Amino acid sequence: MRRVQLETFLLALGVILLEVSYTRVFSFKLVYYFTYLVIGIALLGLGSGGVLVALSARLRRASLETVVVRSALIAALGVALSYALTVFVPLHLFRMVMRFSQGEWDLPAREAIKLAVVVGAIFLPFLAAGLGLAKIFATHTENIARLYFADLMGAALGCALVIPALIYLTPPGTVLLSGAILGAAALRFSARQGVVRTVPVLALIALLLVGVGFVPRLPDPIRDMVKGGAKVSAEFSRWSPVFRVDVVPVPSANPATKFLVHDGLIGSSIMGWDGDIASLGRYDTSDRAFPFRILDPGPRVAIIGSAGGNEILASLRLGASEITGIELNPVTISLLTDHFADFTGHLATHPKVEIVNAEGRSYLEGSGREFDLIWFVAPDSYAAMNAATSGAFVLSESYLYTQQMIETALKHLSPNGILAAQFGEIDYDIKPNRVVRYLGTAREAFAELGRANFAEHVLVGVSAGFGRLETATILLRKSPFSTKDGAAFRGLAARLPGSRVSWTGPGSANDNPIANVITLEGAARAGFYDEYPYKVHAITDDGPFFWHFVRFGDALFGGSETEVFNVEEGVGERLLVVFLLLSAAFAAIFLLAPLVLARGLWATVPYKFSSGLYFAALGLGFMFIEICLIQKLTLFLGYPTYSLTVTLFALLISTGVGSLLSDRLMARRNLAFARLGLALCVLVTFYEFGLDGLVEMGIGWPFELRVVATVLVLAPLGLCLGTLMPLGLRTVSRLGPNGEAYVAWCWAVNGFFSVMASVLATILAMMQGFGFVLALGLVIYLIGIAAFSRVPESA
C-alpha cells in the first residue's frame, strides 16, 4: 500500500504541474481562451483512463505493476512529445476562425488538423496518468480512502510548488519537470523488474531534467500569427506566473521607446528619460494632462497599473508631489528598478516616486491612505488585475472596474480628489461600450454612497489614438465639478488634435449613449439598457466581466450590430460555447461507450443511474463551488494566481483529510450523507453571504495571515467534500462481481462532468453571477446525495 500511495502521489503531482504550466505556455502561444481547453484536456484524460479500465478486460487482468510502469513511461514520453509539438508547430487560431466565418474551408481544415495533432499530444500524458490512477483505485478499493488521500496530497503539493516553479524554472521548465515526476512514478516497480527495465526510465527522467536545466537555451513556442508568429528580436525576456514580458525596441521612436510585450501582445511601453523633468514637455498637451488641469497644485497620485512608467513621467511633469505606482507583475517592476534603470533615468528611485508590487484594489483597501488622484490607466493594457488573463478580453474577470471598486476608490480620495479612468475605445462615436458601462457602474457606486446628481460629478472626453482606437477619459469626483472645471477640461481638449468633449455637466449634448447613461432615470434608463444593441449594464463583484458586451444568444445566432472579428464582440462567447459543446460530445461518447460496447457487462451492474448521477454531481458541484470561491478570494489574497493556488491548496489538503475520515462513516453511510448535506448548506450559505464581510475586514492584513485565514475558512468545506468520493467508490465496489469496472466507470463520470463544469461555470457566471453558480453547486450536491442514498450501503 505504501508503494501504491507513492505512485498515486507522484502521478497526481505531475498532472497538476503539467496542467497549470501548460495554461501559461498557451497563453503565450495562442490566447488565454486556450486555458479552458487545457483544463478540459486534463480532466478528459484522467476520466478516459477510467473508461479504458472499465472497458478492457485485458487491463483489468494485467498486473498493477505493469500498468503503472507503462502508464508512467507513456506519460513522461507524452510530455516530451507534446512540448516539442507545442514549440515547433505554428498554429493560427484567429486566422482559422476568421477564414471559417468568411466561408473558406481550406485553411481552417489545415489549421484544425494541426490543432488536433497538438491537442492529441497534450492529451496523451493526461490519458496515461489517468489510466494509472484508475487502475490503482480499481485494484485497491478496500483502501480507497487512503489512496484518494495520496492523490489529493500530490495535487495539493503541486499547487504549493507551481508558483515557485513558474518563477524559477519558467512554464516550459515546469512542463519538463512534470514529465520527470510522472516518469518517477515508474521507478519503484521497474526496479523490481530488473536493470533492463530501470535504465530506460532513469534515462528518460535524466533527459527531462537536463531540459529543465537548459530551459533558457530552448526555443520559445511559435506564437499565433496575430501575435507575430516566430520569435521577435527582444532585448529582454522573462516568464512569470502573471504573464511573460518581452522588451522590444521601437525603431526611430522619439523619445526612445521600447514596447513591453505581455504574453505575445503589446501591452505597454517604457520610454527613455535623461532625468530632466524639462524634457517631458510633451505631456503638457496630451490626454494624460486632463485630471491635472483641474486638481490643485502638488497632488498626491496613485497609478493603478503603472507598467513601464509612462504615467509616472507624466505625473512628474504635471506637478505631482507624491506618486505611487501600483503594478501587479514583479517582472515589469524589475525593468524600472534594475534591467532598464539607466534607460529610464532611474525613475524608480526618484524621491517623489514609490513603486509597489500589488493588485490595485487590494493595495487601496490595505493602505489606509488618501490620494488626490487615483488613476486607472488603459485597463486593457493588462497592467493590472486582468494581467493574469491577457489575450482574453471577454473572459477576463477584473475587479478594478466594478461598482465596489469605484466605491473603494472614492473613499480613498481627498475631499476634492479625482478618480480618472482612461482606456481605448473602438468606434467611440458609434458604440462607446466601455465608457457607457463604466459610467453606468460609477453611477450605481455614487448612488450607494448617497451622492445625488451624478451628472454634476463626471466629465467625459475622447482623444485621437491609432485608427479606430481612440482614448476615452472619464473623470469622477465626490464633490460636483464647477463651471471652471468644465471650461478647463474643454480647453485642453481643444488643444489636442482629434479630441472632443462628450460631457462636462448639464447643458452638454443629450442625444447620445453617454448622456443617456448619465441622465436617464427609472424606466427610461432601464429601457435604454434593454434597447442598446450591446450588453452594457453596470457590473458588480458578483459578475465582474467588464468586456462581456455580447449576449450569448446574439453571439450564437447573430445580431445586426455584432462584429465577428472584434475580440470584445462575440469571439470569447462563441469559443466558450464551442468548448462546452465539445466537452459534452466527448462526455456523451465516452460515457455511452461502455454501455454500447460492453452491454453484457453493464447489464449486470446495478444502480447505474443513481451512481452516475451521484458522481456527475460530485464533478459539477465541486468545480462550481471551487471556481466561485477562487473568485471571491481573489481580492482577499491580492493576486489572481495566489488565489488560484492557495484556494486549491486549502481545499485539496482538507479534502484529503476528509477522505481519511470517510472510513469511519461507511458503517452508517446514509446518516453521514444527511449530516454532510446539512453541513454543506450551512457552509455555502456562509460563503454566499458572510465571506464578503471577512474579505472586507481582513484585506489589509499581512499576506501570511490572509493565507492562514483562507485555509481555516475553507477547511470545513474540504472535510465535508473529501468524504463523498471515497464513500461512493467504496459503495459501488461492493455492488456485484464487477466492482473494479464499476469503480473505473464512476471515476470517468466524475472526470467528464468536471470537464463540462469548468466551462459551464464561467458561462453561468457571465449570465447570472458567481453567487448563482455557488448556490447551484450546492443544489447539485444535494441532488447527487439524495439519488445515491437509494443505493444499498452494502451488497
Side-chain angles (χ1 to χ4, degrees), residues 159-176:
C159 289
L161 293 179
V162 70
I163 295 298
L166 293 176
I167 293 172
Y168 296 109
L169 302 179
T170 75
T174 308
V175 168
L176 299 179

Side-chain angles (χ1 to χ4, degrees), residues 22 66 304 385 418 507 587:
Y22 258 144
T66 299
I304 310 295
M385 174 68 88
I418 290 176

Side-chain angles (χ1 to χ4, degrees), residues 544-624:
F545 297 93
F546 185 80
W547 295 274
H548 173 41
F549 295 120
V550 177
R551 299 169 181 89
F552 278 97
D554 291 338
L556 292 176
F557 305 111
S560 59
E561 302 295 331
T562 300
E563 292 188 6
V564 175
F565 307 121
N566 187 330
V567 292
E568 296 178 1
E569 297 180 6
V571 175
E573 289 86 354
R574 290 185 182 95
L575 283 173
L576 272 179
V577 173
V578 168
F579 289 161
L580 178 63
L581 293 176
L582 285 174
S583 300
F586 275 112
I589 292 170
F590 280 94
L591 290 175
L592 292 176
L595 302 177
V596 174
L597 300 178
R599 292 185 295 273
L601 172 65
W602 292 111
T604 65
V605 174
Y607 301 101
K608 290 184 288 292
F609 177 78
S610 295
S611 298
L613 187 60
Y614 176 74
F615 287 97
L618 296 190
L620 284 169
F622 184 85
M623 292 295 291
F624 280 12

Side-chain angles (χ1 to χ4, degrees), residues 445-462:
F446 272 74
E448 183 67 24
L449 295 176
R451 305 279 176 171
N453 302 318
F454 178 69
E456 299 177 357
H457 297 262
V458 58
L459 303 174
V460 184
V462 63

